[in-house]
Amino acid sequence: MSNEYDDDTSSALDTELAERLANLDEELATRRSAALRTDLDNYDLDEEDLDVLQAVTDDPDAIQYLPAVPVVAIVGRPNVGKSALVNRILGRREAVVEDTPGVTRDRVAYKGDWNERKFSLVDTGGWEPDAKGIDASVAAQAEIAIDLSDLVMFVVDSNVGPTSTDEAVVRMLRKSGKPVFLVANKVDDVRQEPEAASLWSLGLGQPWPVSALHGRGVADLLDAILLVLPEISNVAKQEVGGPRRVAILGRPNVGKSSLLNKVVGEERVVVNELAGTTRDPVDEQVELGGKVWRFVDTAGIRRRVHLSQGADFYASLRTSAALEKAEVAVVLLDVTEVISEQDIRVIDLVIESGRALVLAFNKWDQIDDDRRRYLEREIEQDLAHVAWAPRVNISAKTGRHMEKLVPALELALESWDTRIATGKFNAFLAELAAAHPHPVRSGKQPRILFGTQASSRPPTFVVFTTGFLDPGYRRYIQRRLREIYGFEGSPINLSMRVREKRKR
């Protein structure tokens, strides 16, 4: 059955069909589809069917500029509870928290609010003086976060008291000139409050005793912060309501963070040879190809989420959440390595989520002729199910061919947004059924009664029939949709509703 419609005399028929649909009398097609829709009332329809038939979605993507919300940076040495405090303020588990020091590595922004005031809360990795390797990169991100904030919350462990590292942070904060709130964390009850008094010696004024774990004192701290925090940020960019949201996905260490740094034009995220450096999704609004985009770098998806432990497990969950918020995913593949099961799993995750898809083959500057031949064979064998996705060959590190990324994103998003008029879609189905009627099964031939595009983003089509359409015939309809209308870079959903005629 699977090959029954796959080796049609396609090209000539496609050209004829495309020409007929292009020259279609739209008024006539609309009248015909209206007649088919009226005839559908003679069949048993449920409430969900009626909702599908009445649904009209109009989702313009105009860019709207909103006031820049103030930015609060949370800094401190490793393992003092910064991410736990972020989660407490947000009222949900967003930042990755683990007992191991150094789980947070990038500066990660979250949207928060308190007493109807909105602000951006920036979690940072632990700051340490004289840090080496990846720890130095983490410390640099914390320093950038301070520069790009309106106010700083400096978190100290009240049980440990002031340390030499805390004193080094204080010197850095004084140079910044930003308002600073000294937060004495891990004060879980009244008996521990006197221990916070030792933090007066840091010279930052009153320590605010809180328990990020239990929430004690956090409300008073936020009330005090709102009195100092400006209504509109002095440092943040204007918020943009409508930029297209791009998730950068891929297995660990394929160059996702390098790609984000290249499009942003600065060291926005920590890049290191150590696989799995990124734990939290990091997003950044950038201008690329004359347009504003919001890029989200995500933690690499590991082989099996349920086998991941601790921070890696939560990172995988956050990657899925970032994909849900995105509109298009750029899946990075390392051309110097064989396309793996993990790569295919990431691509399948994008398809399941219904997001537009662009395949970016990274490290192209490192490929030789032999590897290129093997790669083409791998693409043909392993990525045949996403032959519709635009492909770009880039080098995230050097920036080579990065200009090809924007046209690919625009093409995928245009397909993702595409809507076919109901009249045209029904004319298309009629042409298909005339050229290739569905085969007779058990003495009956299923007939297509009516079709409509229920929604876009991704394009979702509903076909009402008198009987079950074979999987091969559904694939035939989808393939013809792509051949006639393109849909490059977008998955297509096609669902069936088998309905019987009402008994008189």
Side-chain angles (χ1 to χ4, degrees):
M1 178 67 211
S2 61
N3 294 322
E4 195 162 341
Y5 312 97
D6 293 348
D7 53 359
D8 273 314
T9 53
S10 55
S11 57
L13 287 173
D14 288 344
T15 305
E16 288 175 25
L17 179 56
E19 284 177 5
R20 283 200 298 274
L21 290 170
N23 297 322
L24 190 69
D25 183 329
E26 293 193 19
E27 192 177 331
L28 179 61
T30 302
R31 285 204 303 272
R32 281 178 179 166
S33 70
L36 291 171
R37 167 66 189 90
T38 302
D39 186 53
L40 200 58
D41 289 335
N42 296 320
Y43 289 78
D44 286 320
L45 304 177
D46 57 27
E47 285 187 22
E48 198 174 330
D49 294 338
L50 297 172
D51 287 343
V52 167
L53 294 167
Q54 291 169 2
V56 177
T57 59
D58 182 22
D59 192 7
D61 200 56
I63 293 182
Q64 300 168 335
Y65 288 91
L66 307 172
V69 295
V71 180
V72 178
I74 298 185
V75 300
R77 59 185 177 78
N79 216 30
V80 293
K82 298 183 293 299
S83 295
L85 183 58
V86 167
N87 288 338
R88 176 60 60 184
I89 293 171
L90 295 176
R92 60 188 183 274
R93 193 182 174 95
E94 280 276 4
V96 179
V97 177
E98 199 177 308
D99 287 335
T100 313
V103 170
T104 304
R105 287 169 175 165
D106 300 300
R107 63 184 200 273
V108 187
Y110 302 100
K111 299 297 181 192
D113 61 87
W114 182 252
N115 287 346
E116 299 182 359
R117 285 275 302 278
K118 295 186 184 299
F119 50 84
S120 182
L121 200 60
V122 180
D123 189 16
T124 63
W127 189 91
E128 292 184 281
D130 307 320
K132 300 287 190 294
I134 188 169
D135 294 328
S137 301
V138 171
Q141 291 297 322
E143 291 174 29
I144 293 169
I146 292 167
D147 288 340
L148 299 178
S149 69
D150 295 288
L151 182 145
V152 178
M153 292 168 65
F154 173 34
V155 183
V156 179
D157 186 337
S158 66
N159 296 329
V160 176
T163 66
S164 58
T165 301
D166 291 327
E167 288 167 1
V169 176
V170 169
R171 288 194 290 274
M172 180 178 66
L173 290 171
R174 284 209 176 106
K175 285 179 190 172
S176 74
K178 300 292 170 79
V180 178
F181 277 71
L182 177 59
V183 181
N185 192 26
K186 306 184 184 180
V187 180
D188 297 334
D189 55 44
V190 179
R191 288 172 300 172
Q192 291 178 296
E193 282 197 9
E195 294 174 14
S198 63
L199 299 176
W200 280 93
S201 64
L202 290 171
L204 289 176
Q206 174 192 349
W208 290 84
V210 305
S211 170
L213 187 63
H214 303 295
R216 188 174 181 274
V218 174
D220 291 338
L221 170 65
L222 290 173
D223 287 341
I225 283 173
L226 291 189
L227 296 175
V228 179
L229 200 64
E231 291 283 343
I232 297 174
S233 176
N234 298 314
V235 292
K237 300 172 187 172
Q238 277 186 310
E239 286 284 315
V240 180
R244 310 311 295 260
R245 298 181 298 281
V246 185
I248 304 172
L249 300 184
R251 57 186 169 81
N253 221 24
V254 292
K256 299 182 297 297
S257 297
S258 296
L259 177 60
L260 184 62
N261 285 339
K262 186 56 69 174
V263 297
V264 172
E266 63 169 280
E267 290 298 308
R268 176 62 180 84
V269 286
V270 175
V271 176
N272 194 273
E273 292 299 317
L274 177 67
T277 302
T278 305
R279 261 78 177 271
D280 300 275
V282 178
D283 69 321
E284 184 73 11
Q285 195 168 288
V286 298
E287 190 172 323
L288 196 64
K291 286 189 174 181
V292 177
W293 305 82
R294 187 175 290 281
F295 274 79
V296 181
D297 175 34
T298 57
I301 300 175
R302 297 190 176 273
R303 194 175 301 277
R304 289 283 182 271
V305 171
H306 66 271
L307 295 181
S308 304
Q309 295 181 341
D312 287 333
F313 172 77
Y314 288 109
S316 296
L317 295 185
R318 277 158 185 71
T319 295
S320 299
L323 187 54
E324 287 302 312
K325 293 175 185 174
E327 296 172 293
V328 57
V330 177
V331 175
L332 247 64
L333 300 112
D334 185 341
V335 296
T336 64
E337 297 181 18
V338 174
I339 293 174
S340 69
E341 192 181 321
Q342 278 176 284
D343 292 318
I344 296 166
R345 189 169 150 262
V346 174
I347 291 168
D348 288 344
L349 188 67
V350 176
I351 296 169
E352 286 164 21
S353 73
R355 299 306 181 260
L357 171 65
V358 172
L359 300 177
F361 291 86
N362 192 26
K363 306 184 185 178
W364 198 258
D365 52 334
Q366 299 176 31
I367 196 171
D368 57 28
D369 290 339
D370 283 344
R371 175 64 192 133
R372 188 179 283 116
R373 280 195 297 274
Y374 282 114
L375 179 64
E376 286 300 330
R377 199 176 306 156
E378 289 165 23
I379 291 169
E380 199 174 310
Q381 290 175 351
D382 300 330
L383 303 182
H385 66 304
V386 285
W388 44 263
R391 286 167 48 184
V392 290
N393 304 327
I394 62 169
S395 170
K397 195 171 183 180
T398 65
R400 184 184 177 197
H401 291 164
M402 291 292 286
E403 72 281 356
K404 294 181 179 178
L405 190 58
V406 169
L409 289 171
E410 289 175 336
L411 176 62
L413 283 166
E414 185 182 350
S415 298
W416 199 61
D417 291 337
T418 294
R419 176 175 285 280
I420 299 173
T422 303
K424 272 195 172 179
F425 184 54
N426 279 284
F428 164 83
L429 291 173
E431 292 275 0
L432 257 57
H436 282 279
H438 193 287
V440 175
R441 298 286 185 237
S442 304
K444 293 183 179 179
Q445 185 179 46
R447 187 164 58 90
I448 295 175
L449 300 168
F450 181 78
T452 185
Q453 184 173 351
S455 63
S456 55
R457 303 185 170 193
T460 301
F461 298 90
V462 178
V463 177
F464 291 83
T465 69
T466 60
F468 187 78
L469 299 184
D470 290 334
Y473 201 80
R474 294 203 301 274
R475 284 196 298 272
Y476 163 67
I477 293 172
Q478 286 180 298
R479 197 173 71 253
R480 284 290 182 260
L481 272 171
R482 289 196 183 281
E483 287 161 354
I484 302 302
Y485 294 107
F487 290 114
E488 293 173 82
S490 176
I492 297 174
N493 295 332
L494 180 69
S495 66
M496 239 179 354
R497 291 175 183 266
V498 179
R499 294 297 175 255
E500 293 182 354
K501 208 156 194 176
R502 279 206 193 99
K503 292 184 175 63
R504 293 185 181 278

